[in-house]
Amino acid sequence: MKTKLLLFLCLLATIPGFAQMGTIDKQNFKTVALSKDQAGNLIIKKWVVPIRYKVYTGKVAYSSTEIDSIFSQVKALTSLDIAPAKSEDEVNFSVFLGGKNDFGAQIPSAIAQSFSQLGGTYYKFNGKGEIYQAIDLITVPNFSDQLAARSAIRKSIIKLFGFFTPLENYPTSVFYSQNNNVVKFDSYDIFLIRLLYGPRFTPGMTAEQLDEVLGKM
């Protein structure tokens, strides 16, 4: 699986369309990569520290195999240190599958209040724009079918890697704002993920600084 993914990425790098970014590509990247800090300024937020994730299952059992696959794919695309947590103490990315009342004190009530009937996401970042904690709740039983649940899981996990603003103009993307039952990263998603986690863009970078870099691409 990993070998096939790496081969795909090598092929992707040779696609002429991604060799030079067009105006729409740059705008799409700005849309997904920028979000507000505590002062309301648009900045880049991304992970730098190692990610140790754990999947918690509520009353309805759900296999974590696909979630492990998603994290594995993101690891390959971002070069982040991502692995399942070996103990509760090291968990900094929690994925809860079930209703918010299924997990008691594991999800603080102040956080749970901000989640909808379908779940939600929560994260913390420091003054440098570095994300260091993430909570993802997906109320699997409330989705219309398994495909919709699988799509929601993938979309919410990748969102917590710094892609907090959805796209409105790319219906086949995992970043699309509406439900689209996407259960894999397409080539454009891969392009955007790799771009954010490439060396050109650092946590805390402002919209103006991002524009300056994009102007040279």
Side-chain angles (χ1 to χ4, degrees):
M1 177 65 184
K2 290 183 179 179
T3 303
K4 289 182 179 180
L5 179 61
L6 289 174
L7 287 172
F8 175 71
L9 293 179
C10 291
L11 289 172
L12 180 65
T14 66
I15 298 176
F18 294 128
Q20 185 172 354
M21 293 180 68
T23 301
I24 294 177
D25 298 326
K26 292 178 181 180
Q27 185 56 52
N28 284 345
F29 179 68
K30 287 178 61 178
T31 297
V32 297
L34 291 171
S35 56
K36 292 182 179 180
D37 63 8
Q38 294 92 334
N41 300 311
L42 291 175
I43 64 167
I44 283 180
K45 302 182 197 125
K46 56 193 279 190
W47 287 84
V48 176
V49 299
I51 294 172
R52 296 295 177 263
Y53 71 91
K54 183 171 181 178
V55 180
Y56 303 83
T57 303
K59 297 176 182 178
V60 178
Y62 190 97
S63 173
S64 63
T65 302
E66 184 170 16
I67 295 175
D68 291 333
S69 176
I70 294 171
F71 277 107
S72 179
Q73 292 169 39
V74 176
K75 178 179 180 178
L77 294 170
T78 63
S79 297
L80 287 169
D81 178 1
I82 304 175
K86 295 180 180 179
S87 69
E88 288 288 337
D89 292 339
E90 66 176 7
V91 176
N92 58 3
F93 199 125
S94 304
V95 180
F96 294 96
L97 303 176
K100 58 185 177 182
N101 295 327
D102 294 343
F103 303 103
Q106 290 175 308
I107 301 180
S109 57
I111 297 174
Q113 290 175 4
S114 65
F115 293 158
S116 72
Q117 63 177 357
L118 295 177
T121 56
Y122 173 85
Y123 68 100
K124 289 183 179 180
F125 63 99
N126 60 26
K128 298 179 181 179
E130 299 168 345
I131 304 170
Y132 62 89
Q133 183 184 7
I135 296 177
D136 191 7
L137 173 70
I138 304 99
T139 55
V140 177
N142 291 348
F143 284 87
S144 57
D145 54 48
Q146 189 180 53
L147 183 62
R150 289 175 60 203
S151 179
I153 290 170
R154 181 172 292 265
K155 288 167 78 89
S156 59
I157 286 177
I158 194 60
K159 174 181 178 180
L160 286 165
F161 278 85
F163 300 94
F164 300 111
T165 308
L167 290 177
E168 302 293 345
N169 63 344
Y170 213 95
T172 62
S173 172
V174 72
F175 300 117
Y176 188 53
S177 63
Q178 305 300 315
N179 296 330
N180 57 0
N181 288 340
V182 166
V183 292
K184 65 179 181 179
F185 299 129
D186 70 10
S187 59
Y188 201 64
D189 297 332
I190 290 172
F191 165 62
L192 294 175
I193 295 167
R194 292 180 69 197
L195 190 60
L196 178 60
Y197 278 87
R200 295 183 181 92
F201 302 101
T202 56
M205 184 177 284
T206 65
E208 291 75 17
Q209 292 170 327
L210 187 148
D211 279 334
E212 184 177 352
V213 175
L214 288 177
K216 301 174 182 178
M217 297 176 66

